[in-house]
Amino acid sequence: GAGVSQSPSNKVTEKGKDVELRCDPISGHTALYWYRQSLGQGLEFLIYFQGNSAPDKSGLPSDRFSAERTGGSVSTLTIQRTQQEDSAVYLCASSLGGVFNQPQHFGDGTRLSIL
Amino acid sequence: KQEVTQIPAALSVPEGENLVLNCSFTDSAIYNLQWFRQDPGKGLTSLLLIQSSQREQTSGRLNASLDKSSGRSTLYIAASQPGDSATYLCAVRYGNNRLAFGKGNQVVVIP
């Protein structure tokens, strides 16, 4: 398909485990974003990539969260030593990078549940 | 810090009625404003994007207006249909290339 692809769609894990969430952006989109949607909280920005570099990672809530992007394409968001408050839907978006007037296109998200 | 508010949080309307959804933001220094639709368990679908220099955008039954100086946008959906039932999210793009979202308008169109 031509849209943003995220995997897995659902992830259930025990507290204290590490998880990796994957995002495959739209082909040709150099900008990639991660957001988190918690129940009753709305969407919050986590990190922004332009190419493989992350000029803005100020939204990451703690040092347990990290993200990388390789080859200017696929990105992985890693959460170490998961806590119950990490339970949320993690959404990835991409856009034509370098210009602020382009829309962001979202994937269907990964629903993360920490037991 | 940019704050985005959407009112009302939830509303129900009978089929055929026009929908009016409001969004306000605190910092008028925005690049653009984007309206999204979110269905349960799904991601966000982009509906309309209004650049900061524009006053409105239209797509089919949807029309979005932007008054940047007063920090407001309105999404109009004409002749609502049951398939329009969803959560509608407003997001403004500002400063460092991030989006700030409202918490959404949850809409139910009653057949």
Side-chain angles (χ1 to χ4, degrees), chain B residues 71-89:
Chain B
R72 293 179 184 176
S73 177
T74 301
L75 178 66
Y76 299 88
I77 303 177
S80 61
Q81 304 170 357
D84 294 329
S85 298
T87 297
Y88 293 84
L89 293 161

Side-chain angles (χ1 to χ4, degrees), chain B residues 20-91:
Chain B
V20 180
L21 307 178
N22 296 301
C23 170
S24 61
F25 46 95
T26 53
D27 186 346
S28 62
I30 65 170
Y31 290 102
N32 56 50
L33 184 146
Q34 199 168 352
W35 281 95
F36 295 90
R37 170 186 172 136
Q38 187 173 32
D39 293 288
K42 296 291 187 181
L44 278 63
T45 300
S46 181
L47 297 174
L48 290 167
L49 173 73
I50 312 175
Q51 304 298 343
S52 62
S53 59
Q54 297 175 320
R55 300 226 16 122
E56 66 176 347
Q57 279 287 330
T58 298
S59 176
R61 294 184 294 113
L62 276 60
N63 174 277
S65 64
L66 174 64
D67 184 342
K68 198 174 72 163
S69 60
S70 65
R72 293 179 184 176
S73 177
T74 301
L75 178 66
Y76 299 88
I77 303 177
S80 61
Q81 304 170 357
D84 294 329
S85 298
T87 297
Y88 293 84
L89 293 161
C90 165

Side-chain angles (χ1 to χ4, degrees), chain A residues 62-73:
Chain A
S62 77
D63 59 8
R64 297 186 294 105
F65 287 71
S66 63
E68 65 174 13
R69 190 179 184 195
T70 55
S73 181

Side-chain angles (χ1 to χ4, degrees), chain A residues 33 48 56 58 100-102, chain B residues 31-32 51 93 97-98:
Chain A
Y33 313 80
Y48 153 60
D56 186 1
S58 61
F100 291 168
N101 63 351
Q102 295 297 315
Chain B
Y31 290 102
N32 56 50
Q51 304 298 343
R93 190 163 192 172
N97 207 22
R98 65 173 67 180

Side-chain angles (χ1 to χ4, degrees), chain A residues 20 32 34 47 49 52 66-70 73-78:
Chain A
E20 283 191 355
L32 185 146
W34 283 98
I47 187 169
F49 285 93
N52 291 336
S66 63
E68 65 174 13
R69 190 179 184 195
T70 55
S73 181
V74 172
S75 175
T76 303
L77 177 69
T78 301

